Amino acid sequence: METERAHLAAARAALRAMREDAEALDTSDVATDWVNAAILRSDIDARIRALADLSDTPLFFGRLDYLDHRTHTGTEDESADGTSFHIGRRHVHDAEGDPMVVDWRAPVSQPFYRASAKDPQNVALRRRFGYAGGRITAYEDEHLSDPGEAARSSRLLQEEIEKPRVGPMRDIVATIQPEQDEIVRSGIEGTVCVQGAPGTGKTAVGLHRVAYLLYTHRERLARTGTLVVGPNASFLHYIEQVLPALGELEVRQATVDELVAHVPVRGTDSPAAARLKGDARMATVLRRAVRAGVTPPAEACVVVRGSRRWRVPGYELAELVEELLSRDIRYGAAREALPQRIAHAVLTRMEQAGEAPDDRVQDAVARNAAVKAVVKTAWPAVDPAKLVLRLLSDPEFLATQAEGVLDADEQRLLLWEKPARGVKSARWSAADAVLVDEAADLVSRTASLGHVVVDEAQDLSPMQYRAVGRRCSTGSATVLGDIAQGTTPWATASWREALHHLGKPEAVVEELTQGFRVPREVIAYASRLLPAIAPGLREATSVRESAGDFAVRTVPDGVLTDAVVHACRETLERREGSVGLIAAESRLPELAHALDAAGIPVLAPGEETSEQRRLTLVPATLAKGLEYDYVVLDEPDAIVAAEAEAPDGAGPRTGLRHLYVALTRAVSGLTILHSQPLPEPLRDTGAES
């Protein structure tokens, strides 16, 4: 133990030295100009930040001893140079450049996650470390080369998985399982879709895949960029510390709404209207609308240069316009090409007349007033927001563009009740902004990133998938989600369909069904809902040895709120870690008032928990993607009924899906309190009290 503690201390000292070396770099005489100097300084500052030592975070969590050139004796420090590696969150080397800690993403680290007694992968010993406050407190060895040692579960691994959580999401580099590691280390060229049941670590897998790709393709991704797309700001706040803890500071995070923020969103749609605006057919309507103003010229174009006049007849201009229309290129690119095409026609006539014009003459002709006039009339400029505004407020224009695509009832559903006077005064909805983004891409290509991760993807509409897909059209993606947790009116029913809209039909779909965070009894109870909400999915299982705390309590009508407050206080007093009180939206004001009267401080979703403030009041509609050590669930019937009573597009299945999400937010324990009857699949449980 003391040998390992000494190695940890030496590694921390080496990391400090690496940071000090970076801080001491003098760039004053290196860069040739101020621009290069600024870029170099920025790179060095990023390097310094990445070398920060988090004192409460283990610098290494494991060790591998390889068989080659080594005689294993079972002692903790006997290994030949170069055959023993400490595995950690980042690389650390000593003054001579020899590794003291190997990055978990390096090839030599892979057997830490993949090796087993059946397939030792040349590993003699795998050691896991236990920590408390950044100090090594225990270690545990697996002698993979010893055929006589039976396979057994790791106590330290179980403790790390079940450790209470306070604050934002942590990385899982110490607990990545073989099936997760295969996804994490999949190549950058391919898109991967992960269907993951609650607690299977799909979000962590996606984030760690980004970290792995940045390690293996850093130069490429530094040039093309990476992006994590989450469902809401609370979720992004919850996960925002994972990548920085792994030393990756340059990954952008955003919601879909932030990606398509071309217009100010101040309005809302009915679920039916939002579902229609998210339908992939809208892409066809928009494509027609963007090109609706193109008019092949009937009149000739006459270009005057010096004493000569050059005439391009109307039929030839019309042919140029029709040829550009027939090509699958962006509207804006075609508009830029048209004056050059006209200029080329003029230059052809000049050459036929014996002149020898060059490229400068062609550019000058393309800028000629007569040519500009033809382009302005035949191929007018398109403002994406104004185009969508017209589409949603002009019945005749919409009818023309939607003919054969949307029926009359659907067209009426799309139209605003009051036509907006202009882009700034329009009450744009979130779905409208996605339409504007589609129109903008039809005019000018959206820049593509190298890799995009999209989490909770089952809730995206086809048009939102297209918006995300545009951001990785020349790159790859990691798609994360759970069909059973789809709670929007347009939630996807098939990953193949979703991947088609994303523009990645060739993506590999992986399914994670082994849970690591949700207790066995809790996931088994929640899985009773699967036949009703997602009949095609396999039931999730849990590898956790502890069943977890689980109780279902029937409370007399009229005292439910008092019972919920008592359960929250009891959980806070008896248990460590975060506590989430999840309830239907309609119940929140009463619960918040009661908790305040009881002197129990409450956080909103996304606010960071602390030792003094550990209870978060969560509406069931915002619980997705969040995790709490203990959950108190208020009145399941109210959660289901809220969706059953909602107009246009929601219903009992959506309510049951919200309930499934709420049930699976617990890491260590779940208490359900109800006065109304439970949904049919959840009745008759031995946990009832």
Side-chain angles (χ1 to χ4, degrees), residues 623-640:
K624 193 175 301 177
L626 304 178
E627 259 186 7
Y628 302 94
D629 288 294
Y630 292 86
V631 166
V632 177
L633 182 61
D634 171 85
E635 195 61 272
D637 180 70
I639 295 173
V640 177

Side-chain angles (χ1 to χ4, degrees), residues 264-280:
V265 174
R266 295 191 293 264
T268 55
D269 290 310
S270 68
R275 184 171 58 244
L276 180 57
K277 290 177 180 179
D279 193 303

Side-chain angles (χ1 to χ4, degrees), residues 307-327:
S307 61
R308 303 204 60 173
R309 295 160 61 88
W310 306 97
R311 184 176 182 275
V312 182
Y315 75 86
E316 189 171 341
L317 295 173
E319 288 174 355
L320 293 176
V321 170
E322 292 293 348
E323 191 270 334
L324 285 172
L325 274 176
S326 68
R327 297 182 60 192

Side-chain angles (χ1 to χ4, degrees), residues 263-451:
V263 291
V265 174
R266 295 191 293 264
T268 55
D269 290 310
S270 68
R275 184 171 58 244
L276 180 57
K277 290 177 180 179
D279 193 303
R281 292 177 295 164
M282 290 302 300
T284 301
V285 176
L286 285 166
R287 185 178 180 83
R288 290 180 180 178
V290 165
R291 295 170 172 243
V294 177
T295 307
E299 301 294 329
C301 174
V302 179
V303 176
V304 178
R305 283 188 60 81
S307 61
R308 303 204 60 173
R309 295 160 61 88
W310 306 97
R311 184 176 182 275
V312 182
Y315 75 86
E316 189 171 341
L317 295 173
E319 288 174 355
L320 293 176
V321 170
E322 292 293 348
E323 191 270 334
L324 285 172
L325 274 176
S326 68
R327 297 182 60 192
D328 188 23
I329 58 176
R330 296 297 194 280
Y331 184 90
R335 189 173 190 272
E336 292 175 0
L338 181 56
Q340 292 291 335
R341 299 294 179 87
I342 297 173
H344 179 73
V346 172
L347 261 65
T348 299
R349 285 162 172 75
M350 289 181 176
E351 290 170 348
Q352 290 171 346
E355 296 191 13
D358 57 19
D359 290 344
R360 290 174 297 176
V361 175
Q362 179 165 330
D363 290 339
V365 172
R367 296 192 299 270
N368 184 274
V371 174
K372 286 183 177 180
V374 171
V375 173
K376 183 177 181 180
T377 303
W379 207 288
V382 170
D383 180 295
K386 290 180 180 178
L387 178 81
V388 175
L389 176 67
R390 183 184 177 191
L391 198 64
L392 299 178
S393 58
D394 184 338
E396 292 184 6
F397 184 64
L398 175 60
T400 301
Q401 310 314 319
E403 183 179 359
V405 180
L406 305 177
D407 62 32
D409 289 339
E410 289 173 323
Q411 292 175 34
R412 281 192 292 272
L413 187 59
L414 284 180
L415 287 167
W416 289 341
E417 292 182 5
K418 274 189 175 181
R421 293 189 300 274
V423 171
K424 291 185 179 180
S425 63
R427 292 188 62 79
W428 300 100
S429 69
D432 295 334
V434 180
L435 299 181
V436 175
D437 189 71
E438 179 84 22
D441 184 70
L442 289 167
V443 174
S444 180
R445 183 183 295 276
T446 303
S448 175
L449 299 166
H451 192 78

